[in-house]
Short mmCIF file of all heavy atoms in Angstrom, two decimals:
data_model
loop_
_atom_site.label_atom_id
_atom_site.label_comp_id
_atom_site.label_asym_id
_atom_site.label_seq_id
_atom_site.Cartn_x
_atom_site.Cartn_y
_atom_site.Cartn_z
N LEU A 92 -6.57 6.11 1.33
CA LEU A 92 -6.52 5.62 2.70
C LEU A 92 -7.76 6.07 3.46
O LEU A 92 -8.25 7.19 3.25
CB LEU A 92 -5.27 6.13 3.43
CG LEU A 92 -3.97 5.39 3.09
CD1 LEU A 92 -3.38 5.90 1.81
CD2 LEU A 92 -2.98 5.53 4.22
N LEU A 93 -8.21 5.19 4.35
CA LEU A 93 -9.34 5.50 5.22
C LEU A 93 -8.86 5.24 6.64
O LEU A 93 -8.54 4.10 7.01
CB LEU A 93 -10.53 4.60 4.87
CG LEU A 93 -11.82 4.80 5.65
CD1 LEU A 93 -12.30 6.25 5.60
CD2 LEU A 93 -12.91 3.87 5.12
N LEU A 94 -8.77 6.32 7.42
CA LEU A 94 -8.25 6.22 8.77
C LEU A 94 -9.40 6.24 9.77
O LEU A 94 -10.29 7.09 9.70
CB LEU A 94 -7.29 7.38 9.06
CG LEU A 94 -6.17 7.59 8.04
CD1 LEU A 94 -5.24 8.70 8.49
CD2 LEU A 94 -5.39 6.31 7.80
N PHE A 95 -9.36 5.29 10.71
CA PHE A 95 -10.37 5.17 11.76
C PHE A 95 -9.70 5.54 13.07
O PHE A 95 -8.75 4.87 13.49
CB PHE A 95 -10.88 3.72 11.84
CG PHE A 95 -11.62 3.29 10.61
CD1 PHE A 95 -10.95 2.82 9.50
CD2 PHE A 95 -13.01 3.36 10.57
CE1 PHE A 95 -11.63 2.41 8.36
CE2 PHE A 95 -13.71 2.97 9.44
CZ PHE A 95 -13.02 2.49 8.33
N THR A 96 -10.18 6.60 13.71
CA THR A 96 -9.53 7.02 14.93
C THR A 96 -10.47 7.16 16.11
O THR A 96 -11.50 7.82 16.01
CB THR A 96 -8.74 8.33 14.73
OG1 THR A 96 -8.02 8.63 15.93
CG2 THR A 96 -9.62 9.50 14.36
N PRO A 97 -10.09 6.54 17.23
CA PRO A 97 -10.77 6.86 18.48
C PRO A 97 -10.19 8.19 18.98
O PRO A 97 -9.32 8.77 18.32
CB PRO A 97 -10.37 5.71 19.41
CG PRO A 97 -9.05 5.25 18.89
CD PRO A 97 -9.08 5.51 17.40
N GLU A 98 -10.68 8.65 20.11
CA GLU A 98 -10.14 9.88 20.69
C GLU A 98 -9.55 9.54 22.04
O GLU A 98 -10.26 9.06 22.93
CB GLU A 98 -11.26 10.92 20.83
CG GLU A 98 -10.75 12.29 21.19
CD GLU A 98 -11.83 13.34 21.01
OE1 GLU A 98 -11.96 13.88 19.90
OE2 GLU A 98 -12.56 13.59 22.00
N TYR A 99 -8.26 9.76 22.19
CA TYR A 99 -7.57 9.50 23.45
C TYR A 99 -7.19 10.85 24.06
O TYR A 99 -6.37 11.58 23.49
CB TYR A 99 -6.30 8.68 23.22
CG TYR A 99 -6.53 7.24 22.78
CD1 TYR A 99 -5.48 6.45 22.42
CD2 TYR A 99 -7.81 6.69 22.72
CE1 TYR A 99 -5.66 5.13 22.03
CE2 TYR A 99 -8.01 5.37 22.33
CZ TYR A 99 -6.93 4.60 21.98
OH TYR A 99 -7.13 3.30 21.59
N ASN A 100 -7.79 11.16 25.19
CA ASN A 100 -7.49 12.42 25.88
C ASN A 100 -7.63 13.62 24.96
O ASN A 100 -6.82 14.54 24.98
CB ASN A 100 -6.11 12.36 26.53
CG ASN A 100 -6.02 11.28 27.58
OD1 ASN A 100 -6.88 11.20 28.45
ND2 ASN A 100 -5.02 10.43 27.48
N GLY A 101 -8.64 13.58 24.13
CA GLY A 101 -8.96 14.71 23.27
C GLY A 101 -8.15 14.83 22.00
O GLY A 101 -8.23 15.84 21.31
N THR A 102 -7.39 13.80 21.67
CA THR A 102 -6.55 13.89 20.48
C THR A 102 -6.31 12.52 19.83
O THR A 102 -6.90 11.53 20.21
CB THR A 102 -5.21 14.60 20.82
OG1 THR A 102 -4.56 14.98 19.61
CG2 THR A 102 -4.30 13.74 21.67
N ILE A 103 -5.43 12.51 18.84
CA ILE A 103 -5.11 11.33 18.04
C ILE A 103 -4.31 10.30 18.86
O ILE A 103 -3.43 10.68 19.62
CB ILE A 103 -4.32 11.79 16.79
CG1 ILE A 103 -3.96 10.65 15.87
CG2 ILE A 103 -3.09 12.58 17.17
CD1 ILE A 103 -3.26 11.09 14.58
N PRO A 104 -4.61 9.02 18.71
CA PRO A 104 -3.84 7.99 19.39
C PRO A 104 -2.40 7.92 18.84
O PRO A 104 -2.17 8.13 17.65
CB PRO A 104 -4.58 6.69 19.06
CG PRO A 104 -5.89 7.10 18.51
CD PRO A 104 -5.73 8.47 17.96
N ALA A 105 -1.47 7.61 19.71
CA ALA A 105 -0.06 7.56 19.33
C ALA A 105 0.21 6.57 18.20
O ALA A 105 1.03 6.84 17.32
CB ALA A 105 0.80 7.21 20.54
N VAL A 106 -0.47 5.44 18.21
CA VAL A 106 -0.21 4.42 17.18
C VAL A 106 -0.56 4.94 15.78
O VAL A 106 0.16 4.66 14.81
CB VAL A 106 -0.94 3.09 17.51
CG1 VAL A 106 -2.44 3.23 17.37
CG2 VAL A 106 -0.43 1.98 16.62
N LEU A 107 -1.62 5.72 15.67
CA LEU A 107 -2.00 6.27 14.37
C LEU A 107 -1.05 7.39 13.96
O LEU A 107 -0.63 7.47 12.81
CB LEU A 107 -3.45 6.75 14.40
CG LEU A 107 -4.06 7.14 13.06
CD1 LEU A 107 -3.96 6.02 12.03
CD2 LEU A 107 -5.53 7.53 13.26
N LYS A 108 -0.68 8.23 14.91
CA LYS A 108 0.27 9.31 14.62
C LYS A 108 1.60 8.72 14.17
O LYS A 108 2.24 9.21 13.22
CB LYS A 108 0.46 10.20 15.86
CG LYS A 108 1.51 11.29 15.69
CD LYS A 108 1.15 12.30 14.62
CE LYS A 108 2.05 13.51 14.63
NZ LYS A 108 3.39 13.28 14.14
N ASN A 109 2.04 7.65 14.83
CA ASN A 109 3.28 7.00 14.45
C ASN A 109 3.22 6.45 13.03
O ASN A 109 4.18 6.59 12.25
CB ASN A 109 3.61 5.87 15.44
CG ASN A 109 4.97 5.28 15.22
OD1 ASN A 109 5.96 5.99 15.13
ND2 ASN A 109 5.02 3.97 15.12
N ALA A 110 2.10 5.84 12.66
CA ALA A 110 1.94 5.33 11.30
C ALA A 110 2.03 6.47 10.29
O ALA A 110 2.70 6.34 9.26
CB ALA A 110 0.60 4.61 11.16
N ILE A 111 1.39 7.58 10.59
CA ILE A 111 1.46 8.75 9.70
C ILE A 111 2.90 9.24 9.58
O ILE A 111 3.36 9.57 8.48
CB ILE A 111 0.51 9.86 10.20
CG1 ILE A 111 -0.94 9.42 10.07
CG2 ILE A 111 0.75 11.17 9.44
CD1 ILE A 111 -1.94 10.31 10.80
N ASP A 112 3.63 9.26 10.69
CA ASP A 112 5.03 9.69 10.65
C ASP A 112 5.86 8.79 9.73
O ASP A 112 6.63 9.28 8.91
CB ASP A 112 5.63 9.72 12.06
CG ASP A 112 5.05 10.82 12.93
OD1 ASP A 112 4.42 11.76 12.39
OD2 ASP A 112 5.23 10.75 14.16
N TRP A 113 5.69 7.48 9.86
CA TRP A 113 6.43 6.57 8.98
C TRP A 113 6.02 6.76 7.52
O TRP A 113 6.87 6.72 6.62
CB TRP A 113 6.21 5.11 9.39
CG TRP A 113 7.11 4.69 10.52
CD1 TRP A 113 6.76 4.58 11.84
CD2 TRP A 113 8.49 4.35 10.43
NE1 TRP A 113 7.86 4.19 12.57
CE2 TRP A 113 8.93 4.04 11.73
CE3 TRP A 113 9.40 4.29 9.38
CZ2 TRP A 113 10.24 3.66 12.02
CZ3 TRP A 113 10.71 3.90 9.65
CH2 TRP A 113 11.12 3.60 10.95
N LEU A 114 4.74 6.99 7.27
CA LEU A 114 4.26 7.14 5.89
C LEU A 114 4.65 8.49 5.28
O LEU A 114 4.57 8.65 4.06
CB LEU A 114 2.74 6.96 5.85
CG LEU A 114 2.25 5.55 6.15
CD1 LEU A 114 0.73 5.52 6.28
CD2 LEU A 114 2.74 4.57 5.10
N SER A 115 5.06 9.43 6.10
CA SER A 115 5.43 10.76 5.59
C SER A 115 6.85 10.79 5.02
O SER A 115 7.24 11.78 4.39
CB SER A 115 5.32 11.80 6.71
OG SER A 115 6.37 11.66 7.66
N ARG A 116 7.60 9.75 5.25
CA ARG A 116 9.00 9.73 4.84
C ARG A 116 9.21 8.78 3.68
O ARG A 116 8.50 7.80 3.57
CB ARG A 116 9.89 9.30 6.02
CG ARG A 116 9.77 10.18 7.23
CD ARG A 116 10.41 11.52 6.96
NE ARG A 116 10.51 12.29 8.19
CZ ARG A 116 10.08 13.52 8.32
NH1 ARG A 116 9.49 14.13 7.33
NH2 ARG A 116 10.24 14.15 9.45
#
Side-chain angles (χ1 to χ4, degrees):
L92 281 82
L93 181 55
L94 308 184
F95 295 84
T96 185
E98 190 167 272
Y99 292 174
N100 298 310
T102 194
I103 181 176
V106 69
L107 190 54
K108 176 64 169 73
N109 188 51
I111 293 167
D112 290 344
W113 278 101
L114 292 172
S115 73
R116 302 289 190 232

